Amino acid sequence: MKVTFLGLGVMGFPMAGHLKRAGHDVTVYNRTSSRAAKWVETYGGTAALTPATAAKGAEIVFACVGNDDDLRSVVYGPDGALAGMSVGALFVDHTTASAEVAREIDAAAREAGLGFLDAPVSGGQAGAENGKLTVMVGGVEKDFDRAKPVIDAYARACVLLGTAGSGQLAKMVNQICIAGLVQALAEGMHFAQQAGLDGAKLVEVISKGAAQSWQMENRANTMLDGKFDFGFAVDWMRKDLGICLAEAKRNGAQLPVTALVDQFYARVQKRGGGRWDTSSLMHPLTNP
Amino acid sequence: MKVTFLGLGVMGFPMAGHLKRAGHDVTVYNRTSSRAAKWVETYGGTAALTPATAAKGAEIVFACVGNDDDLRSVVYGPDGALAGMSVGALFVDHTTASAEVAREIDAAAREAGLGFLDAPVSGGQAGAENGKLTVMVGGVEKDFDRAKPVIDAYARACVLLGTAGSGQLAKMVNQICIAGLVQALAEGMHFAQQAGLDGAKLVEVISKGAAQSWQMENRANTMLDGKFDFGFAVDWMRKDLGICLAEAKRNGAQLPVTALVDQFYARVQKRGGGRWDTSSLMHPLTNP
């Protein structure tokens, strides 16, 4: 299938690569064009100089960029993807963005005779590289059925959760659950250290019971070692939590611990940890 | 082996039963003696009228009572277990109590020529009934090696974590990790409802990734249904968090989210939910 991928960051670069390896005819675009050149050098395919030219003739145009504004800049205007796409084509957005921008682009796409899915992912850089992302999708079933076999090139789960925006809302729930969970784990590990316990031995025991979590199994020991270089960065988490808290203001949800943890992440940023991973909530506890 | 079990609550009753079924010669004591009579009726064995008489001649005396004061009342004084125990016998305390009381009883036991282990459990009523508790132990290896084969009657894991008090400290870490985790999950599920998402479908997706936890897999759907009748009660959790926060004051650990969640549980108690399970943190969010 002729497809386009816009945005070749740590996620987009390998995701587009999986599409190429699956046999699709892939054209890519990246704001910094040297990165697009590197992608072509790695995987083959074609690089274009604007989203509009990249999108020309594609059945599906994928995007995975930084935030709402980055997304709007590759979608709208004379150089934007919508200007290049043919009637009947489908735009699939993998950016973690607001539900608002998803609904807005959905409306714009529909008016132009195009389909739209918001499809943020979880699984991080490792998931993107080994093709095992979880994809949370909002949109209509007809579009989902078209996109899913293609997305499967880099997903181990791809689920339609509701109308446009639902994918973004689902991703927000995911990040809300993680934020407080990681803080609780950090407080537990910090307490263990203050109490003089053998943390690794302790984690082995309590991870068999009701305190168990993916984070405990994968991050507790590195937290105890004060190593925060294993995954999703604090800067990105703060962007995501900002989206969650703004949406909560709209839908009336109360997120007291999520809001507090967002402030703890602000503290981590202030001490130069913006690129540390999310488990660095341990740092302000052990180094007040 | 001749053993004694003090305290036949929701945990102790089935735990002592497992000892009897494993072939031990079990004598029990319970403050409310009708409960001891019921135990004898269910399992056989012998009931005694005081901890001291119950402990007479036992190689190991187990206790599982409510709190520090309950524990002191079955241990000390002319009717207390220590008064009845023979030199060389071992006292194993399964109560979730303070590390302080563990160290205090350890010292008293040692002075009387007895051994002591603090050995709080996790796994709840279900774990006690089906003999699959996790037991976190503090004490010396010699005593641990004696007790473990007996404890195995109701444990799927039984681990020595350090000197006297270490079992209690480990249990505290377990409860700290659970408290913030359940609040994060509650905020996530509450947000999902406010956003109009299909919660059950969403949980199925996000429980495959970095937000996964035992609590998500076992409590998210009942939280979404507003059902809080599935496990460890809020009253007990508040007792445990009180112990955690007092110990944190001593060891200097910072527990901002744990302290906040303790206050949310206070809110649940105020609305009559003291016997609801810990997942009822959802209630103040959905019914502000």
Side-chain angles (χ1 to χ4, degrees):
Chain A
M1 186 187 291
K2 189 161 165 41
V3 300
T4 296
F5 208 103
L6 311 175
L8 302 169
V10 290
M11 302 296 288
F13 195 98
M15 289 164 79
H18 283 292
L19 292 177
K20 186 70 179 71
R21 284 187 180 144
H24 297 294
D25 174 7
V26 184
T27 301
V28 297
Y29 163 82
N30 192 67
R31 188 165 47 187
T32 307
S33 58
S34 58
R35 179 102 178 151
K38 193 186 159 202
W39 188 90
V40 170
E41 199 184 299
T42 309
Y43 296 106
T46 314
L49 292 174
T50 69
T53 51
K56 204 145 274 173
E59 283 185 55
I60 308 184
V61 176
F62 296 91
C64 191
V65 296
N67 56 35
D68 284 20
D69 286 343
D70 295 338
L71 182 58
R72 288 190 178 102
S73 80
V74 298
V75 165
Y76 298 131
D79 287 339
L82 295 192
M85 290 169 74
S86 318
V87 169
L90 174 61
F91 191 96
V92 177
D93 177 33
H94 288 306
T95 310
T96 293
S98 68
E100 238 181 348
V101 78
R103 290 186 204 111
E104 169 199 306
I105 297 178
D106 177 67
R110 243 154 252 297
E111 204 170 291
L114 306 167
F116 174 82
L117 298 171
D118 55 302
V121 303
S122 82
Q125 191 173 343
E129 282 165 1
N130 60 30
K132 291 189 171 171
L133 293 169
T134 297
V135 188
M136 292 155 271
V137 186
V140 296
E141 203 157 345
K142 176 176 63 82
D143 292 335
F144 177 78
D145 292 343
R146 264 169 88 189
K148 188 176 180 302
V150 185
I151 292 173
D152 281 345
Y154 44 76
R156 71 167 170 185
C158 177
V159 183
L160 181 65
L161 288 154
T163 55
S166 300
Q168 297 299 349
L169 293 168
K171 178 74 189 280
M172 292 177 212
V173 174
N174 189 70
Q175 304 303 68
I176 290 166
C177 289
I178 288 174
L181 191 165
V182 173
Q183 174 66 22
L185 182 60
E187 293 186 14
M189 295 304 104
H190 167 60
F191 180 98
Q193 286 186 327
Q194 293 291 119
L197 291 170
D198 177 338
K201 204 168 182 183
L202 170 67
V203 165
E204 211 188 308
V205 181
I206 65 175
S207 65
K208 290 189 172 56
Q212 180 278 342
S213 65
W214 184 96
Q215 297 286 341
M216 181 180 277
E217 287 177 353
N218 290 278
R219 294 287 181 270
N221 284 315
T222 49
M223 287 164 88
L224 287 163
D225 292 340
K227 289 179 183 158
F228 310 119
D229 196 21
F230 299 89
F232 195 70
V234 167
D235 287 342
W236 308 337
M237 191 58 165
R238 279 216 83 197
K239 186 207 85 175
D240 291 4
L241 292 179
I243 292 171
C244 296
L245 294 167
E247 182 66 28
K249 216 162 196 174
R250 268 179 229 111
N251 71 26
Q254 302 167 80
L255 305 177
V257 163
T258 308
L260 182 60
V261 173
D262 180 55
Q263 290 301 304
F264 294 156
Y265 278 127
R267 204 177 289 176
V268 174
Q269 285 178 318
K270 275 275 185 194
R271 49 182 75 187
R275 293 286 149 173
W276 296 347
D277 78 61
T278 48
S279 70
S280 57
L281 286 171
M282 185 76 174
H283 197 270
L285 297 173
T286 51
N287 305 274
Chain B
M1 186 186 293
K2 190 161 164 42
V3 300
T4 297
F5 209 103
L6 312 174
L8 302 170
V10 289
M11 302 298 286
F13 195 98
M15 288 164 79
H18 283 292
L19 292 178
K20 185 70 179 73
R21 283 187 181 146
H24 297 295
D25 175 7
V26 184
T27 301
V28 297
Y29 162 81
N30 193 67
R31 187 166 48 189
T32 307
S33 57
S34 58
R35 179 101 177 150
K38 192 186 159 200
W39 187 91
V40 171
E41 198 184 299
T42 309
Y43 295 106
T46 313
L49 292 175
T50 69
T53 51
K56 204 145 275 176
E59 285 186 55
I60 308 183
V61 175
F62 296 91
C64 192
V65 297
N67 57 34
D68 284 20
D69 288 342
D70 296 337
L71 182 58
R72 288 190 177 101
S73 81
V74 297
V75 165
Y76 298 132
D79 287 339
L82 295 192
M85 288 170 75
S86 319
V87 169
L90 175 60
F91 190 96
V92 177
D93 178 32
H94 289 307
T95 310
T96 293
S98 68
E100 238 182 348
V101 79
R103 290 185 205 112
E104 170 199 305
I105 297 177
D106 177 65
R110 243 154 252 297
E111 205 170 289
L114 306 167
F116 174 81
L117 298 171
D118 55 300
V121 302
S122 82
Q125 190 174 345
E129 283 166 1
N130 59 30
K132 292 190 170 170
L133 293 169
T134 297
V135 188
M136 293 156 271
V137 186
V140 296
E141 203 157 344
K142 176 175 63 81
D143 292 335
F144 177 77
D145 292 344
R146 264 168 89 191
K148 189 177 179 301
V150 186
I151 291 173
D152 281 346
Y154 44 77
R156 70 167 172 187
C158 177
V159 183
L160 181 65
L161 289 154
T163 55
S166 300
Q168 297 299 349
L169 293 167
K171 178 74 190 280
M172 292 177 213
V173 173
N174 189 70
Q175 304 302 68
I176 290 166
C177 290
I178 288 174
L181 190 165
V182 173
Q183 174 66 22
L185 181 60
E187 293 185 14
M189 295 304 103
H190 167 59
F191 180 98
Q193 286 185 327
Q194 295 291 119
L197 290 170
D198 177 338
K201 205 169 183 182
L202 170 66
V203 166
E204 212 187 308
V205 180
I206 65 176
S207 65
K208 290 190 173 55
Q212 180 278 341
S213 65
W214 185 96
Q215 297 287 341
M216 183 181 276
E217 287 177 352
N218 290 277
R219 295 286 181 274
N221 283 316
T222 49
M223 287 164 89
L224 287 163
D225 292 341
K227 289 180 184 160
F228 310 120
D229 195 22
F230 299 89
F232 195 70
V234 167
D235 287 343
W236 309 336
M237 190 60 165
R238 280 215 83 198
K239 185 207 83 173
D240 291 3
L241 292 178
I243 292 171
C244 296
L245 294 167
E247 182 65 28
K249 217 162 195 173
R250 269 180 227 109
N251 71 25
Q254 303 168 79
L255 305 178
V257 163
T258 308
L260 183 59
V261 173
D262 179 55
Q263 290 302 305
F264 295 156
Y265 278 127
R267 205 176 291 174
V268 174
Q269 284 178 319
K270 275 277 185 194
R271 50 182 75 188
R275 294 285 150 173
W276 296 347
D277 79 61
T278 48
S279 71
S280 58
L281 286 170
M282 185 77 174
H283 197 270
L285 298 173
T286 50
N287 304 275

